Amino acid sequence: MFSTEECIEILNHDTLELSEGVIVNCNTNTLEIASRQLSIDLNEAQKRLLVCLIKKVYTKRDIINIVWYENHQRISDNNYHQLTFQIRALLHRNNLPANLLITVPYYGLKLNENQWKTLAKAPVEEYTSVKRQTGAANSDSDTTIENTIINAENARHNNVALSEQLMRSPYFSQSSITQNAFILCMFVALIVFI
């Protein structure tokens, strides 16, 4: 268990480098990724969690002790799990890979250092390839719409959120208002028929 002074010392940094080109700026509470020209705002707990992982503090108890050092006795495992979920959701919202943080069962959490290094080198082209695919001929778009509807129907039977399946459709990554409106109409029609 870390003392309050040790926790403050661990957290007391201006900037910390996750990998080359990926920096946690502790003064502005941001995660900066140079290769993507991305700056992600972090709350205090999220910043502290990343600082712990950069400083190689991996166990759940130690992370709780440092992140909530002011009142860690009253913090439960639930707070830790919520924080982990929040930071993963934040990374996902910024189109970053899901496996940047690795849960080690019955132990804690660690950084996927290889994934962070890959992220730092060059932007991922997965979203540009989706955009290229949606620029195909209209006959391809009809097939894509049919597949989206079939996937949505299958998702309903597999207890997967219908909206999640539709959001995976390439049309939601395009900026075309007409095509997005069409998909929205299809979504509403599916809900009415279900």
Side-chain angles (χ1 to χ4, degrees), residues 107-173:
Y107 182 74
L109 194 64
K110 69 177 194 169
L111 295 171
N112 185 341
E113 293 180 15
N114 291 333
Q115 190 67 39
W116 282 102
K117 287 176 185 174
T118 302
L119 179 68
K121 289 180 183 173
V124 179
E125 294 190 18
E126 63 190 69
Y127 298 98
T128 56
S129 66
V130 169
K131 288 181 182 178
R132 276 188 233 121
Q133 290 171 359
T134 58
N138 287 336
S139 62
D140 290 341
S141 64
D142 292 340
T143 305
T144 303
I145 292 169
E146 290 172 11
N147 288 339
T148 301
I149 293 168
I150 291 167
N151 288 340
E153 186 62 24
N154 290 339
R156 186 175 69 89
H157 293 296
N158 293 327
N159 292 329
V160 176
L162 179 62
S163 60
E164 183 180 328
Q165 282 292 322
L166 286 174
M167 291 304 285
R168 291 180 185 162
S169 166
Y171 286 95
F172 277 88
S173 64

Side-chain angles (χ1 to χ4, degrees), residues 6 9-10 14 16 19 26 28 32 89 92 100-101 119 127 145 147-149 175 185 187:
E6 290 172 320
E9 185 179 328
I10 290 170
D14 291 332
L16 285 170
S19 64
C26 298
T28 60
E32 299 167 1
H92 177 71
L100 290 171
L101 300 177
L119 179 68
Y127 298 98
I145 292 169
N147 288 339
T148 301
I149 293 168
S175 61
C185 291
F187 177 72

Side-chain angles (χ1 to χ4, degrees), residues 49-125:
L49 173 63
L50 287 177
V51 169
C52 286
L53 298 176
I54 293 169
K55 301 293 274 179
K56 301 196 183 312
V57 176
Y58 300 132
T59 65
K60 184 183 349 180
R61 281 286 124 220
D62 287 343
I63 290 171
I64 289 171
N65 179 216
I66 294 170
V67 171
W68 293 282
Y69 72 88
E70 299 94 341
N71 60 349
H72 68 90
Q73 292 88 359
R74 290 180 269 151
I75 299 299
S76 70
D77 287 358
N78 189 42
N79 297 92
Y80 165 83
H81 293 296
Q82 286 178 355
L83 177 59
T84 303
F85 174 80
Q86 287 174 357
I87 200 160
R88 282 189 170 125
L90 178 67
L91 295 171
H92 177 71
R93 280 194 306 273
N94 285 280
N95 299 325
L96 298 174
N99 61 347
L100 290 171
L101 300 177
I102 301 171
T103 298
V104 181
Y106 306 107
Y107 182 74
L109 194 64
K110 69 177 194 169
L111 295 171
N112 185 341
E113 293 180 15
N114 291 333
Q115 190 67 39
W116 282 102
K117 287 176 185 174
T118 302
L119 179 68
K121 289 180 183 173
V124 179
E125 294 190 18

